[in-house]
């Protein structure tokens, strides 16, 4: 048990440390990208243009890795707080809207207010990574539905898409670092972060998916906050089925 605690403490430290490192690297990348962009605009030599282009796309890729890892990372360790999940999901849908529109994805939500206790930024990151995957799974359009359910001792968030879907082999690899089917456009880190965050909240992630039909991610979170209040649920969403 003592060892386990020590391990947990170490993990905590590493995750805070990496969050602050990620933040610093991101600042540097943003600066470098800006200046290289300027160079590119002024450069006439096609050979040099090409090199600058390669440098830019390498920087872009590094930025993407950090984005999937912890976009919202702050250098200072965050405090644990009460997180209004409905509000958080609504904000994330807003953030995701431009990408959804680009993919002709229609977003529906069916939410009610409930709260959990955790670090807002990491929870935000976990949910965003999963919602982003759902949109990316629908390059030719489709429907993303974010809904909630209340059970006896836990809440459930469902992220459902009508996208590419996955086979058994893919499902087994979910959450493993560097597993991606998106080639250069993927990092394979988004779900690893999401699984870890949900696990730290004593929650669980389950997946239903069918190739060519779509995917449903279920996130189960224990009821913790006292200030939960149920309100009437939006009527504009029919609880859909993947299969
Ligand atoms: P990345 O998005 O960079 O590939 P992730 O860790 O976020 O990395 O996801 C890993 C892989 O899991 C994706 O490449 C994809 O194959 C699969 N995946 C995740 N979510 C979905 C989804 N909603 N529909 C289909 N496949 C998914
Ligand atoms: Mg992803």
């Amino acid at each position: 048990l003592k060892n386990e605690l020590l391990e947990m403490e170490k993990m905590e430290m590493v995750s805070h440390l990496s969050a602050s490192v990620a933040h610093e690297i991101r600042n540097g990348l943003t600066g470098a990208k800006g200046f290289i962009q300027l160079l590119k605009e002024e450069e006439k030599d096609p050979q040099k243009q090409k090199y600058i282009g390669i440098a830019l796309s390498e920087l872009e890729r590094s930025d993407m890795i950090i984005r999937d890892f912890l976009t919202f990372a702050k250098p200072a360790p965050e405090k644990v707080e009460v997180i209004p999940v409905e509000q958080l999901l609504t904000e994330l849908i807003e953030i995701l809207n431009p990408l959804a529109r680009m993919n002709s994805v229609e977003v529906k939500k069916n939410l009610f207010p409930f709260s959990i206790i955790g670090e807002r930024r990491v929870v935000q990151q976990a949910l965003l990574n999963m919602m982003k995957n759902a949109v990316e799974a629908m390059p030719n359009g489709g429907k993303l539905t974010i809904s909630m359910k209340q059970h006896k001792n836990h809440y459930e968030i469902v992220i459902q898409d009508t996208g590419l879907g996955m086979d058994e082999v893919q499902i087994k690899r979910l959450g493993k670092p560097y597993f991606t089917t998106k080639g250069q456009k993927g990092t394979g880190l988004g779900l690893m972060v999401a699984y870890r965050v949900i696990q730290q909240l004593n929650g669980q992630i389950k997946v239903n998916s069918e190739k060519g039909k779509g995917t449903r991610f279920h996130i189960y979170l224990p009821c913790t906050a006292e200030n939960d209040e149920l309100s009437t649920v939006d009527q504009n969403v029919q609880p859909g089925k993947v299969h």
Side-chain angles (χ1 to χ4, degrees):
L1 190 68
K2 215 175 171 186
N3 264 343
E4 237 169 73
L5 278 175
L6 197 69
E7 276 307 306
M8 269 169 66
E9 228 166 80
K10 267 199 256 171
M11 280 292 289
E12 269 295 301
M13 219 182 66
V14 168
S15 82
H16 281 312
L17 193 66
S18 49
S20 67
V21 170
H23 187 79
E24 293 303 321
I25 295 178
R26 190 134 199 242
N27 283 344
L29 283 178
T30 307
K33 254 179 13 190
F35 282 112
I36 295 185
Q37 194 73 53
L38 278 179
L39 264 187
K40 192 171 188 233
E41 280 159 23
E42 279 165 24
E43 187 53 62
K44 300 276 182 319
D45 182 344
Q47 185 70 10
K48 284 188 190 161
Q49 270 272 356
K50 193 180 137 203
Y51 292 152
I52 294 172
I54 293 171
L56 265 181
S57 66
E58 291 293 323
L59 286 176
E60 191 51 58
R61 183 163 168 77
S62 304
D63 194 40
M64 186 171 73
I65 290 170
I66 293 173
R67 228 155 42 205
D68 267 6
F69 193 63
L70 275 183
T71 313
F72 300 102
K74 258 195 172 170
E78 279 275 314
K79 272 205 306 277
V80 166
E81 59 184 315
V82 175
I83 307 168
V85 179
E86 181 214 20
Q87 193 191 319
L88 182 64
L89 285 169
T90 304
E91 278 171 32
L92 290 176
I93 290 173
E94 285 297 311
I95 292 176
L96 215 65
N97 253 335
L99 181 68
R101 231 172 287 133
M102 230 159 64
N103 285 22
S104 311
V105 167
E106 179 193 0
V107 186
K108 294 238 164 181
K109 59 176 181 166
N110 183 2
L111 309 173
F112 56 81
F114 84 86
S115 303
I116 58 164
I117 293 172
E119 284 181 61
R120 188 185 169 96
R121 277 162 201 279
V122 285
V123 174
Q124 194 163 300
Q125 187 72 48
L127 294 171
L128 180 65
N129 287 353
M130 296 178 75
M131 288 161 66
K132 198 160 118 270
N133 281 340
V135 175
E136 287 167 351
M138 299 183 278
N140 303 317
K143 195 158 109 185
L144 168 64
T145 311
I146 313 289
S147 54
M148 288 173 168
K149 282 180 203 151
Q150 188 179 27
H151 301 277
K152 196 153 168 264
N153 297 313
H154 55 268
Y155 291 107
E156 181 184 352
I157 302 169
V158 185
I159 300 174
Q160 176 168 357
D161 67 62
T162 55
L164 301 170
M166 290 175 278
D167 59 31
E168 285 298 318
V169 182
Q170 282 171 287
I171 291 173
K172 281 219 173 73
R173 296 187 64 188
L174 290 177
K176 304 248 161 66
Y178 308 117
F179 164 59
T180 181
T181 53
K182 298 171 192 170
Q184 280 291 104
K185 289 204 167 121
T187 65
L189 293 173
L191 275 186
M192 182 201 74
V193 168
Y195 275 72
R196 282 200 190 161
V197 170
I198 300 305
Q199 199 183 0
Q200 276 193 350
L201 293 169
N202 295 316
Q204 239 185 320
I205 297 178
K206 293 205 171 128
V207 194
N208 288 100
S209 189
E210 201 180 321
K211 201 113 188 130
K213 287 249 172 100
T215 302
R216 221 165 36 203
F217 275 96
H218 306 260
I219 305 166
Y220 298 94
L221 296 166
C223 300
T224 45
E226 307 276 290
N227 57 343
D228 301 340
E229 38 178 354
L230 263 168
S231 77
T232 45
V233 174
D234 285 359
Q235 297 301 315
N236 60 344
V237 170
Q238 299 295 317
K241 282 223 166 103
V242 171
H243 304 291

